[in-house]
């Protein structure tokens, strides 16, 4: 790539990683999201990683109160939000302190100097001011008196009091827009739409945004540092920028549409799953009923009731809530009703790390029920993949009359990426048919008569004359569904339920292996590690080593070809954000001596971590 | 829609009823089946949802749709069903342990939401199915398998609890009075919203004669206080007793000792009166009100509210289009 640096022509980079960090009241998520959208509109590929404090009201200025948003933008298809930021925007000392270690050597720091006064320094645990003690000498520091510049920018707009400094995140955003040649229009449009009813607030935000941009344009401090990242060469298509909770919610709506059923969503608020509830509650015109229950047990129970009534029933939660749903999930399993249970995993156990990513509920999803209670498990591997995964979960639940666990996690749920949209009118059609007629020779309806191929029972909904029947949690006699304590029947029903789930292996896409060079080492992943594994694999290949990659969407049952795939490699690496859960399933199922790469440090993998492990193995 | 003539037999399922001989649940089952046959509810539109317990076996014996769910969760299951399917008549059945212990949370929330459910709590003041432990309605001092030295748990007053949970319909009846049970079922069914009906039910195996004060030939007339809306509250073998308000509390007096005008006229729309009456009897060892404590029509039902919002969203925004929805954040085109 040839680049000429001129006064007017910004330097072209192929990628840049920017982290906005500040107090949770500083509006860093918003600044990051706006920067992301402006970059998306510009045609960059991108990936984001927001990080929030767990406590909403952690004391201002302290380390626990720091909120950050990392975005990587690139002119090629990138996969992750990046390992080390090139640029850190630090709105206060705590933000600097808790993020500096991640910054790449010689990276740039944009500092809001006015926040670096004694009290804030003390709150962040600094005894010396890092701006003056030489500790930042290894970095390129851009010092900006952001607060007085913001005050100056808004002085004619009519905002007063706390509203004045509130827009200082826009100053930071404007400055970054200058530094990376982002257009301002998308942000201006967004501000106008958002604050349409408060014109003075809109005006103040726009004035600050432009002030930040102009500050970059005019001051000594930033001279020659304006660079750009050119649009990426993404595959042709129509794109939007999407976060995983939204696309998952939309996937449920799409699944309901494909099934031609109304959607019922029962949920109790919990981070990071609540946004699914918020999103679905906005779309009542799609026939979506949302029920904010008194607890997670009620949420799943109500969903089971709705499923009995013929709705596409879904209940969503995060780890602690899944624990509460366990007993009812067995009921749904026993009554063989379709139900989607979403678990947006977060750091555990107990309340754990509510806002941090972890993949530590896989074994819980697999085994966290009393009795023999196998259930299909589908996992979303990226924000955009959550849409397809949700549709797949719906398909399985309805076709096989079974609850399905749909795993997401904090990275998928809150991260965002460009999503190549499915074409219009391309939704699959798996509309369901309810039973309308008795299904036994004596003219009765027998709820446990099964489809010979899928072993699914029929779905007969209340209101259908002649099909009145009772279901429940006591063991069912085959065919009739009457309560049965017969020992042979219990064996038969247990085997049948297990077989029904196992048989789904023949109805899911075989696992695809990306192995262009005939490698002997395979890296096998699941869920949100997809982008980072892909990036590591690409690096290893660029270094000249063949490496194969496969990623699982279906965790139970596994795709039918998985055993064969695993056995065709000498080494198998399984990276997971847990202490080794998929690896246990794989070893138990296939007797493959896979190697784990495990991490539970409240952060996603770095590309370099997986890369290093792969290089060590080959 | 054509009306169908049903008999009680049309609501009897083919399953053998397996309660202990002499259990009060039999009488209640018969009362419900009789009511159903006469109610005009089409069989396919009735759903009985229960939790776990002796009482909760109920749905298996009804030839309607039904679900025997898990312990305590029936009000929640039924809430989902009624919200999804407001066209159905959804009934919830459970015991005192099911509804007031493990499921207490779901019960109070169903009541406050005013979901269109008819909730029948068979109160035998004991855990029947698990063979006789004290329940949250058992009296203090009760000796059971789990309380050999007497229970030290203070019991709920189910009527006070339901009223405190903002229930719009609260009534009490007795297994041994099928006629009154039938009347209460009819009133509960006619009510729009959650209707909570406590049915005193004798468990002749683990808590026999708990309600003897209301059922024995000798005592029942002097202890049953039948509440009727708009009527003075009098009771006793010769109507010689009356209820008056005294110092803000419902109090039993000799009717002869007070002025006729002092006798409380039952007003089922008056929450304070309903609550005062609910305090008259705890464990029914003496005079006990039976009938409708509260019935008000002032609040819309939850299920109607949910479905009205859906209709409104559809009429203002039109039917949702998924292709538009996934493009609603703005898109750009590559290539
Ligand atoms: C989760 C769970 N915990 C405990 C039980 C055991 N159990 C079944 S019924 C019951 C209590 C029944 O008492 P009640 O609800 O009053 O009904 P009754 O049998 O008296 O009609 C208990 C504790 C259970 N089935 N499930
Ligand atoms: S144990 Fe009691 S409540 Fe249960 S069936 Fe027997 S008599 Fe009835
Ligand atoms: Mg009981």
């Amino acid at each position: 790539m040839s680049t000429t640096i001129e006064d007017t022509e910004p330097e072209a980079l192929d990628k840049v990683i920017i982290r906005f960090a500040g107090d949770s009241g500083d509006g860093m998520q918003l600044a990051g999201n706006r920067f992301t959208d402006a970059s998306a509109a510009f045609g960059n590929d991108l990936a984001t990683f927001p990080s929030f404090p767990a406590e909403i009201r952690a004391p201002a200025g302290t380390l626990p109160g720091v909120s950050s948003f990392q975005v990587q933008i690139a002119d090629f298809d990138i996969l992750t939000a990046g390992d080390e930021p090139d640029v850190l925007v630090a709105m206060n000392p705590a933000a600097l302190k808790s993020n500096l270690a991640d910054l790449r050597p010689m990276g740039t720091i944009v500092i809001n100097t006015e926040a670096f006064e004694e009290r804030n320094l003390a709150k962040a645990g600094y005894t010396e001011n890092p701006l003056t003690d030489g500790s930042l000498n290894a970095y390129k520091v851009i010092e900006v008196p952001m607060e007085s510049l913001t005050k100056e920018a808004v002085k004619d707009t009519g905002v007063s009091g706390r509203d004045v400094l509130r827009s200082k995140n826009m100053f930071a955003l404007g400055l970054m827009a200058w530094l990376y040649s982002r257009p301002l229009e998308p942000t201006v449009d967004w501000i106008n739409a958002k604050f349409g009813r408060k014109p003075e607030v809109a005006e103040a935000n726009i004035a600050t945004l432009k002030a930040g941009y102009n500050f970059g344009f005019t001051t000594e401090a930033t001279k020659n540092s304006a660079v750009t990242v050119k649009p990426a060469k993404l595959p042709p298509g129509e794109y939007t920028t999407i976060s995983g909770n939204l696309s998952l919610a939309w996937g449920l709506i799409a699944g309901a549409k494909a099934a031609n059923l109304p959607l019922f969503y029962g949920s109790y608020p919990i981070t990071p799953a609540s946004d699914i509830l918020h999103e679905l509650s906005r779309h009542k015109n799609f026939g979506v009923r949302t029920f904010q229950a008194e607890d997670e047990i009620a949420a799943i129970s109500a969903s089971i009731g709705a499923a009995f009534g013929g709705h596409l029933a879904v209940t969503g939660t995060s780890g602690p809530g899944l624990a509460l749903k366990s007993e009812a999930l067995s009921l749904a399993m026993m009554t063989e009703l379709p139900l989607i249970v979403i678990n947006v995993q977060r750091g555990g156990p107990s309340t754990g790390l509510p806002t941090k990513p972890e993949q530590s509920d896989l074994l819980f999803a697999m085994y966290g029920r009393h009795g023999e209670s196998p259930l299909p498990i589908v996992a979303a591997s990226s924000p955009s993949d959550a849409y397809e995964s949700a549709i797949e979960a719906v398909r399985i639940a309805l076709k096989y009359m079974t609850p399905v666990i749909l795993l997401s996690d904090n990275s998928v749920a809150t991260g965002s990426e460009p999503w190549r949209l499915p074409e219009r009118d391309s939704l699959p059609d798996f509309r369901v048919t309810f039973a309308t007629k008795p299904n036994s020779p004596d003219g009765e309806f027998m709820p446990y008569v099964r489809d010979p191929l899928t072993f699914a029972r029929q779905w007969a909904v209340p209101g259908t004359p002649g099909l009145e029947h009772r279901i429940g949690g006591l063991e069912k006699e085959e065919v009739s569904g009457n309560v049965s304590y017969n020992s042979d029947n219990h064996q038969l029903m247990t085997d049948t339920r297990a077989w029904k789930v196992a048989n789904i292996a023949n109805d899911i896409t075989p696992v695809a292996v990306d192995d262009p060079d005939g490698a002997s080492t395979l890296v096998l992943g699941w869920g949100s590690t997809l982008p980072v594994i892909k990036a590591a694999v690409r690096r290893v290949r660029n270094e000249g080593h063949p490496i194969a990659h496969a990623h699982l969407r279906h965790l139970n049952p596994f795709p039918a070809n998985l055993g064969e795939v695993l056995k065709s490699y000498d080494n198998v690496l399984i990276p997971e954000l847990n202490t080794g859960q998929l690896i246990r399933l794989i070893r138990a199922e296939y007797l493959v001596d896979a190697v784990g790469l495990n991490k539970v440090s409240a952060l996603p993998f770095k590309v370099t971590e997986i890369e290093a492990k792969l290089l060590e193995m080959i | 829609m054509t009306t169908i003539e049903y008999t009680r037999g049309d609501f009897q399922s083919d399953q053998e009823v397996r309660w202990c001989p002499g259990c009060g649940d039999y009488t209640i089952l018969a009362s419900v089946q009789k009511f159903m046959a006469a109610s005009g509810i089409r069989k396919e539109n009735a759903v009985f949802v229960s939790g776990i317990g002796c009482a909760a076996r109920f749905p298996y014996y009804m030839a309607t749709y039904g679900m025997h769910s898990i312990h305590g969760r029936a009000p929640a299951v039924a809430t989902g069903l009624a919200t999804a399917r407001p066209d159905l008549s959804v009934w919830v059945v459970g015991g005192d342990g099911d509804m007031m212990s493990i499921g207490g949370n779901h019960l109070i929330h169903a009541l406050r939401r005013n979901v269109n459910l008819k909730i029948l709590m068979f109160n035998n003041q004991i855990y029947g199915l698990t063979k006789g432990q004290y329940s949250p309605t058992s009296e203090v001092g009760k000796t059971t398998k789990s309380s050999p030295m007497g229970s030290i748990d203070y019991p709920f007053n189910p009527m006070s609890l339901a009223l405190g949970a903002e229930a719009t319909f609260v009534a009490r009846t007795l297994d041994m009075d099928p006629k009154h049970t039938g009347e209460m079922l009819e009133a509960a069914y006619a009510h729009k919203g959650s209707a909570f009906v406590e049915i005193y039910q004798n468990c002749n195996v683990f808590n026999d004669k708990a309600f003897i004060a209301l059922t024995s030939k000798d005592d029942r007339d002097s202890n049953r206080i039948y509440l009727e809306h708009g009527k003075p509250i009098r009771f006793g073998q010769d109507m010689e007793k009356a209820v008056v308000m005294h110092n803000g509390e419902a109090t039993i007096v000799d009717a002869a000792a007070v002025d006729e005008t002092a006798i409380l006229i039952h007003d089922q729309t008056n929450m304070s009166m309903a609550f005062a009456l609910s305090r008259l009897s705890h464990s029914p060892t003496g005079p006990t009100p039976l009938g409708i404590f509260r019935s008000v029509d002032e609040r819309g039902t939850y299920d109607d509210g949910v479905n009205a919002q859906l209709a409104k969203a559809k009429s203002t925004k039109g039917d949702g289009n998924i292709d538009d929805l996934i493009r609603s954040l703005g898109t750009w085109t590559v290539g």
Side-chain angles (χ1 to χ4, degrees), chain A residues 59-78:
Chain A
T62 61
L63 295 172
V66 173
S67 162
S68 71
F69 187 101
Q70 179 163 318
V71 54
Q72 170 158 228
I73 54 174
D75 70 356
F76 59 94
D77 60 317
I78 45 143

PDB file of all heavy atoms in Angstrom, chain A residues 59-78:
ATOM      1  N   PRO A  59     -19.010   5.190  42.591  1.00  0.00           N
ATOM      2  CA  PRO A  59     -18.683   6.597  42.835  1.00  0.00           C
ATOM      3  C   PRO A  59     -17.933   7.232  41.653  1.00  0.00           C
ATOM      4  O   PRO A  59     -17.044   6.603  41.072  1.00  0.00           O
ATOM      5  CB  PRO A  59     -17.780   6.537  44.070  1.00  0.00           C
ATOM      6  CG  PRO A  59     -18.065   5.213  44.708  1.00  0.00           C
ATOM      7  CD  PRO A  59     -18.537   4.296  43.635  1.00  0.00           C
ATOM      8  N   ALA A  60     -18.334   8.446  41.327  1.00  0.00           N
ATOM      9  CA  ALA A  60     -17.729   9.132  40.191  1.00  0.00           C
ATOM     10  C   ALA A  60     -16.229   9.287  40.408  1.00  0.00           C
ATOM     11  O   ALA A  60     -15.770   9.531  41.523  1.00  0.00           O
ATOM     12  CB  ALA A  60     -18.376  10.505  40.022  1.00  0.00           C
ATOM     13  N   GLY A  61     -15.484   9.109  39.352  1.00  0.00           N
ATOM     14  CA  GLY A  61     -14.046   9.353  39.414  1.00  0.00           C
ATOM     15  C   GLY A  61     -13.233   8.177  39.920  1.00  0.00           C
ATOM     16  O   GLY A  61     -12.009   8.225  39.893  1.00  0.00           O
ATOM     17  N   THR A  62     -13.888   7.105  40.384  1.00  0.00           N
ATOM     18  CA  THR A  62     -13.125   5.977  40.933  1.00  0.00           C
ATOM     19  C   THR A  62     -12.865   4.931  39.855  1.00  0.00           C
ATOM     20  O   THR A  62     -13.496   4.935  38.800  1.00  0.00           O
ATOM     21  CB  THR A  62     -13.897   5.300  42.075  1.00  0.00           C
ATOM     22  OG1 THR A  62     -15.134   4.807  41.532  1.00  0.00           O
ATOM     23  CG2 THR A  62     -14.185   6.271  43.205  1.00  0.00           C
ATOM     24  N   LEU A  63     -11.969   3.998  40.156  1.00  0.00           N
ATOM     25  CA  LEU A  63     -11.645   2.942  39.198  1.00  0.00           C
ATOM     26  C   LEU A  63     -12.863   2.063  38.882  1.00  0.00           C
ATOM     27  O   LEU A  63     -13.111   1.755  37.711  1.00  0.00           O
ATOM     28  CB  LEU A  63     -10.471   2.092  39.710  1.00  0.00           C
ATOM     29  CG  LEU A  63      -9.134   2.863  39.835  1.00  0.00           C
ATOM     30  CD1 LEU A  63      -8.085   2.014  40.529  1.00  0.00           C
ATOM     31  CD2 LEU A  63      -8.614   3.321  38.472  1.00  0.00           C
ATOM     32  N   PRO A  64     -13.669   1.668  39.891  1.00  0.00           N
ATOM     33  CA  PRO A  64     -14.832   0.834  39.529  1.00  0.00           C
ATOM     34  C   PRO A  64     -15.854   1.583  38.674  1.00  0.00           C
ATOM     35  O   PRO A  64     -16.703   0.964  38.045  1.00  0.00           O
ATOM     36  CB  PRO A  64     -15.441   0.460  40.882  1.00  0.00           C
ATOM     37  CG  PRO A  64     -14.397   0.742  41.895  1.00  0.00           C
ATOM     38  CD  PRO A  64     -13.512   1.816  41.327  1.00  0.00           C
ATOM     39  N   GLY A  65     -15.780   2.900  38.678  1.00  0.00           N
ATOM     40  CA  GLY A  65     -16.767   3.665  37.926  1.00  0.00           C
ATOM     41  C   GLY A  65     -16.408   3.861  36.460  1.00  0.00           C
ATOM     42  O   GLY A  65     -17.138   4.505  35.720  1.00  0.00           O
ATOM     43  N   VAL A  66     -15.294   3.284  36.021  1.00  0.00           N
ATOM     44  CA  VAL A  66     -14.851   3.535  34.647  1.00  0.00           C
ATOM     45  C   VAL A  66     -15.647   2.702  33.653  1.00  0.00           C
ATOM     46  O   VAL A  66     -15.898   1.525  33.856  1.00  0.00           O
ATOM     47  CB  VAL A  66     -13.345   3.229  34.497  1.00  0.00           C
ATOM     48  CG1 VAL A  66     -12.924   3.318  33.033  1.00  0.00           C
ATOM     49  CG2 VAL A  66     -12.532   4.205  35.334  1.00  0.00           C
ATOM     50  N   SER A  67     -16.063   3.366  32.592  1.00  0.00           N
ATOM     51  CA  SER A  67     -16.810   2.715  31.526  1.00  0.00           C
ATOM     52  C   SER A  67     -16.023   2.929  30.239  1.00  0.00           C
ATOM     53  O   SER A  67     -15.467   4.001  30.023  1.00  0.00           O
ATOM     54  CB  SER A  67     -18.181   3.403  31.442  1.00  0.00           C
ATOM     55  OG  SER A  67     -18.812   3.160  30.229  1.00  0.00           O
ATOM     56  N   SER A  68     -15.950   1.900  29.406  1.00  0.00           N
ATOM     57  CA  SER A  68     -15.165   2.099  28.190  1.00  0.00           C
ATOM     58  C   SER A  68     -15.813   1.448  26.987  1.00  0.00           C
ATOM     59  O   SER A  68     -16.681   0.581  27.123  1.00  0.00           O
ATOM     60  CB  SER A  68     -13.747   1.541  28.373  1.00  0.00           C
ATOM     61  OG  SER A  68     -13.801   0.136  28.402  1.00  0.00           O
ATOM     62  N   PHE A  69     -15.396   1.882  25.834  1.00  0.00           N
ATOM     63  CA  PHE A  69     -15.952   1.366  24.586  1.00  0.00           C
ATOM     64  C   PHE A  69     -14.811   1.283  23.591  1.00  0.00           C
ATOM     65  O   PHE A  69     -14.196   2.290  23.249  1.00  0.00           O
ATOM     66  CB  PHE A  69     -17.028   2.315  24.069  1.00  0.00           C
ATOM     67  CG  PHE A  69     -17.787   1.794  22.869  1.00  0.00           C
ATOM     68  CD1 PHE A  69     -19.048   1.235  23.025  1.00  0.00           C
ATOM     69  CD2 PHE A  69     -17.243   1.858  21.585  1.00  0.00           C
ATOM     70  CE1 PHE A  69     -19.755   0.746  21.931  1.00  0.00           C
ATOM     71  CE2 PHE A  69     -17.936   1.367  20.485  1.00  0.00           C
ATOM     72  CZ  PHE A  69     -19.205   0.822  20.658  1.00  0.00           C
ATOM     73  N   GLN A  70     -14.533   0.074  23.147  1.00  0.00           N
ATOM     74  CA  GLN A  70     -13.440  -0.104  22.188  1.00  0.00           C
ATOM     75  C   GLN A  70     -14.013  -0.446  20.826  1.00  0.00           C
ATOM     76  O   GLN A  70     -14.930  -1.254  20.709  1.00  0.00           O
ATOM     77  CB  GLN A  70     -12.506  -1.223  22.659  1.00  0.00           C
ATOM     78  CG  GLN A  70     -11.350  -1.479  21.703  1.00  0.00           C
ATOM     79  CD  GLN A  70     -10.244  -2.266  22.390  1.00  0.00           C
ATOM     80  OE1 GLN A  70      -9.916  -1.990  23.543  1.00  0.00           O
ATOM     81  NE2 GLN A  70      -9.686  -3.236  21.698  1.00  0.00           N
ATOM     82  N   VAL A  71     -13.472   0.187  19.806  1.00  0.00           N
ATOM     83  CA  VAL A  71     -13.904  -0.135  18.451  1.00  0.00           C
ATOM     84  C   VAL A  71     -12.665  -0.279  17.583  1.00  0.00           C
ATOM     85  O   VAL A  71     -11.710   0.475  17.699  1.00  0.00           O
ATOM     86  CB  VAL A  71     -14.882   0.930  17.899  1.00  0.00           C
ATOM     87  CG1 VAL A  71     -14.318   2.336  17.973  1.00  0.00           C
ATOM     88  CG2 VAL A  71     -15.274   0.620  16.447  1.00  0.00           C
ATOM     89  N   GLN A  72     -12.691  -1.296  16.749  1.00  0.00           N
ATOM     90  CA  GLN A  72     -11.659  -1.433  15.730  1.00  0.00           C
ATOM     91  C   GLN A  72     -12.309  -1.149  14.384  1.00  0.00           C
ATOM     92  O   GLN A  72     -13.363  -1.706  14.071  1.00  0.00           O
ATOM     93  CB  GLN A  72     -11.050  -2.839  15.728  1.00  0.00           C
ATOM     94  CG  GLN A  72     -10.148  -3.057  14.510  1.00  0.00           C
ATOM     95  CD  GLN A  72      -9.127  -4.168  14.687  1.00  0.00           C
ATOM     96  OE1 GLN A  72      -7.967  -3.985  14.393  1.00  0.00           O
ATOM     97  NE2 GLN A  72      -9.560  -5.319  15.158  1.00  0.00           N
ATOM     98  N   ILE A  73     -11.706  -0.281  13.595  1.00  0.00           N
ATOM     99  CA  ILE A  73     -12.212  -0.020  12.257  1.00  0.00           C
ATOM    100  C   ILE A  73     -11.109  -0.381  11.276  1.00  0.00           C
ATOM    101  O   ILE A  73      -9.921  -0.229  11.582  1.00  0.00           O
ATOM    102  CB  ILE A  73     -12.657   1.448  12.074  1.00  0.00           C
ATOM    103  CG1 ILE A  73     -11.530   2.406  12.465  1.00  0.00           C
ATOM    104  CG2 ILE A  73     -13.893   1.738  12.880  1.00  0.00           C
ATOM    105  CD1 ILE A  73     -11.841   3.851  12.167  1.00  0.00           C
ATOM    106  N   ALA A  74     -11.502  -0.866  10.119  1.00  0.00           N
ATOM    107  CA  ALA A  74     -10.484  -1.348   9.187  1.00  0.00           C
ATOM    108  C   ALA A  74     -10.971  -1.256   7.754  1.00  0.00           C
ATOM    109  O   ALA A  74     -12.168  -1.150   7.500  1.00  0.00           O
ATOM    110  CB  ALA A  74     -10.135  -2.799   9.510  1.00  0.00           C
ATOM    111  N   ASP A  75     -10.001  -1.325   6.849  1.00  0.00           N
ATOM    112  CA  ASP A  75     -10.373  -1.309   5.438  1.00  0.00           C
ATOM    113  C   ASP A  75     -10.423  -2.735   4.882  1.00  0.00           C
ATOM    114  O   ASP A  75     -10.484  -2.944   3.691  1.00  0.00           O
ATOM    115  CB  ASP A  75      -9.428  -0.414   4.620  1.00  0.00           C
ATOM    116  CG  ASP A  75      -8.027  -1.001   4.496  1.00  0.00           C
ATOM    117  OD1 ASP A  75      -7.769  -2.060   5.101  1.00  0.00           O
ATOM    118  OD2 ASP A  75      -7.195  -0.388   3.798  1.00  0.00           O
ATOM    119  N   PHE A  76     -10.355  -3.718   5.761  1.00  0.00           N
ATOM    120  CA  PHE A  76     -10.533  -5.108   5.336  1.00  0.00           C
ATOM    121  C   PHE A  76     -11.493  -5.735   6.334  1.00  0.00           C
ATOM    122  O   PHE A  76     -11.900  -5.093   7.303  1.00  0.00           O
ATOM    123  CB  PHE A  76      -9.190  -5.835   5.323  1.00  0.00           C
ATOM    124  CG  PHE A  76      -8.499  -5.850   6.657  1.00  0.00           C
ATOM    125  CD1 PHE A  76      -8.655  -6.928   7.529  1.00  0.00           C
ATOM    126  CD2 PHE A  76      -7.706  -4.774   7.066  1.00  0.00           C
ATOM    127  CE1 PHE A  76      -8.023  -6.940   8.763  1.00  0.00           C
ATOM    128  CE2 PHE A  76      -7.083  -4.791   8.305  1.00  0.00           C
ATOM    129  CZ  PHE A  76      -7.246  -5.871   9.154  1.00  0.00           C
ATOM    130  N   ASP A  77     -11.856  -6.982   6.082  1.00  0.00           N
ATOM    131  CA  ASP A  77     -12.833  -7.560   7.006  1.00  0.00           C
ATOM    132  C   ASP A  77     -12.147  -7.990   8.286  1.00  0.00           C
ATOM    133  O   ASP A  77     -11.447  -8.976   8.338  1.00  0.00           O
ATOM    134  CB  ASP A  77     -13.567  -8.729   6.349  1.00  0.00           C
ATOM    135  CG  ASP A  77     -12.631  -9.849   5.938  1.00  0.00           C
ATOM    136  OD1 ASP A  77     -11.557  -9.530   5.391  1.00  0.00           O
ATOM    137  OD2 ASP A  77     -12.954 -11.017   6.189  1.00  0.00           O
ATOM    138  N   ILE A  78     -12.346  -7.200   9.326  1.00  0.00           N
ATOM    139  CA  ILE A  78     -11.769  -7.572  10.617  1.00  0.00           C
ATOM    140  C   ILE A  78     -12.794  -8.370  11.381  1.00  0.00           C
ATOM    141  O   ILE A  78     -13.963  -8.434  11.037  1.00  0.00           O
ATOM    142  CB  ILE A  78     -11.365  -6.358  11.461  1.00  0.00           C
ATOM    143  CG1 ILE A  78     -12.480  -5.336  11.406  1.00  0.00           C
ATOM    144  CG2 ILE A  78     -10.032  -5.838  11.086  1.00  0.00           C
ATOM    145  CD1 ILE A  78     -12.663  -4.665  12.679  1.00  0.00           C
TER     146      ILE A  78
END
